[in-house]
Amino acid sequence: MQSSSNNSLKHIAIIMDGNGRWACHRGHRRIFGHIRGARRAKEIVQICSEMEIPFLSLFAFSTENACRPKEEVKFLIKLFEKILVEQGSFLKALNARLHLLGDITFFSEKVRDCLSTLVSQSRGNTGLNLILALNYGGRQEIVQGMKKVMEEVQNGKISPKTIDENFIHQLFPSSVFPPPDLIIRTGGETRLSNFYLWSAAYSEIHFTKTLWPDFSKAHFTQAVQEFFTKERKFGSITKHSRIKHSRP
Ligand code: FPP
């Protein structure tokens, strides 16, 4: 997706936070918020597909989420079982392809089976690339990458000279996707919480207090419009500043 600002929006990544609070504010149990959160996730997938955004990542379960009370983790796994099994026709209708990030061995066999079926069924789809981050952590990805480097050093395949940014980048499973241009975090916290640590280096970040189940099309569109007003410099300086600084 391209706008008059020349910013290209290939990849949006979302940290869907605030489900628990949303439910508690309404006198419900936290898990009810996850049900509504899942519904909202589906709507946002549909909107991204309509807006022809090529990549959308959803941070559905972090490595740290596994440390939540057993009952909530169990519920989330059951919820994934329930919703994933129904998504084949949804992905097909959108011509969307599912990709996974993270260590899914943590989940039940049913979740793993559903995921692998959806991934293989949707492989030929050419529309939106939907990346589900499940039991994913940016630090864990870096640790895995470092282990690979050590193995290659030990096997004499590489020397320190080989190691540059590109080399490190390709070690990460997430490197097959373009880096996120825009990261949205709902729920009021202003941190990345171990999401896409390496590839978020130059992501624009939109934080909103809106809780995930309330994050509507209007909120989403506002985040996208705001992105297009940004001047992305990727560590360089703007044309405008360049002219200013060249005159002593
Ligand atoms: C964070 O809210 C949300 C989660 C840990 C779960 C996210 C999962 C979903 C929205 C379901 C979507 C599922 C798929 C497969 C797309 P929180 O519980 O941390 O909320 P809080 O900050 O208010 O406690």
Side-chain angles (χ1 to χ4, degrees):
M1 198 181 180
Q2 196 103 21
S3 83
S4 51
S5 72
N6 255 344
N7 280 351
S8 147
L9 185 49
K10 283 202 196 91
H11 186 175
I12 299 182
I14 309 184
I15 302 171
M16 307 177 286
D17 196 15
N19 293 346
R21 277 166 287 160
W22 183 91
C24 292
H25 292 169
R26 285 161 179 77
H28 298 296
R29 292 165 69 204
R30 291 175 50 79
I31 53 179
F32 182 62
H34 295 313
I35 296 173
R36 286 304 184 88
R39 197 188 287 179
R40 185 60 76 187
K42 203 168 165 181
E43 278 170 30
I44 296 293
V45 170
Q46 174 122 25
I47 293 164
C48 276
S49 167
E50 286 163 11
M51 290 172 83
E52 298 185 7
I53 290 161
F55 291 84
L56 170 68
S57 291
L58 295 178
F59 204 9
F61 194 91
S62 72
T63 44
E64 292 72 26
N65 287 156
C67 306
R68 290 188 172 206
K70 261 192 190 141
E71 192 208 352
E72 184 167 338
V73 173
K74 228 165 127 182
F75 177 85
L76 274 169
I77 294 174
K78 284 277 163 230
L79 179 67
F80 292 153
E81 285 177 0
K82 188 176 178 307
I83 56 182
L84 289 171
V85 81
E86 297 161 356
Q87 302 313 322
S89 52
F90 177 64
L91 293 177
K92 194 172 173 194
L94 297 184
N95 188 23
R97 178 175 176 184
L98 183 72
H99 306 264
L100 301 176
L101 257 189
D103 178 10
I104 63 161
T105 57
F106 174 80
F107 296 102
S108 64
E109 196 179 344
K110 193 166 173 194
V111 170
R112 284 182 274 131
D113 285 351
C114 282
L115 288 169
S116 61
T117 306
L118 290 172
V119 167
S120 59
Q121 272 177 357
S122 66
R123 189 157 284 137
N125 293 351
T126 54
L128 174 73
N129 287 281
L130 172 62
I131 303 152
L132 263 194
L134 285 165
N135 197 27
Y136 168 80
R139 284 187 173 180
Q140 287 72 9
E141 196 175 43
I142 292 171
V143 170
Q144 277 171 20
M146 291 309 106
K147 283 185 181 162
K148 275 195 232 165
V149 177
M150 282 307 291
E151 276 167 27
E152 296 200 11
V153 169
Q154 277 173 345
N155 297 338
K157 286 191 186 155
I158 57 162
S159 74
K161 273 194 213 145
T162 324
I163 300 174
D164 59 11
E165 275 192 29
N166 284 334
F167 179 86
I168 299 285
H169 180 72
Q170 53 80 37
L171 293 169
F172 305 133
S174 61
S175 68
V176 297
F177 311 119
D181 300 296
L182 170 63
I183 297 179
I184 298 172
R185 180 174 187 145
T186 61
E189 306 295 352
T190 49
R191 53 179 172 255
L192 282 180
S193 296
N194 208 10
F195 196 28
Y196 277 137
L197 294 185
W198 173 269
S199 56
Y202 286 104
S203 303
E204 299 297 328
I205 308 186
H206 176 92
F207 294 114
T208 169
K209 288 197 167 105
T210 305
L211 304 175
W212 175 247
D214 285 331
F215 191 73
S216 65
K217 183 174 184 177
H219 292 112
F220 181 77
T221 310
Q222 190 200 337
V224 168
Q225 280 169 353
E226 196 183 290
F227 169 83
F228 284 124
T229 66
K230 304 279 180 187
E231 192 181 8
R232 302 190 77 195
K233 294 182 283 185
F234 299 95
S236 182
I237 57 171
T238 63
K239 237 188 202 171
H240 180 249
S241 328
R242 221 171 265 158
I243 294 163
K244 242 172 53 183
H245 292 296
S246 65
R247 290 190 194 134

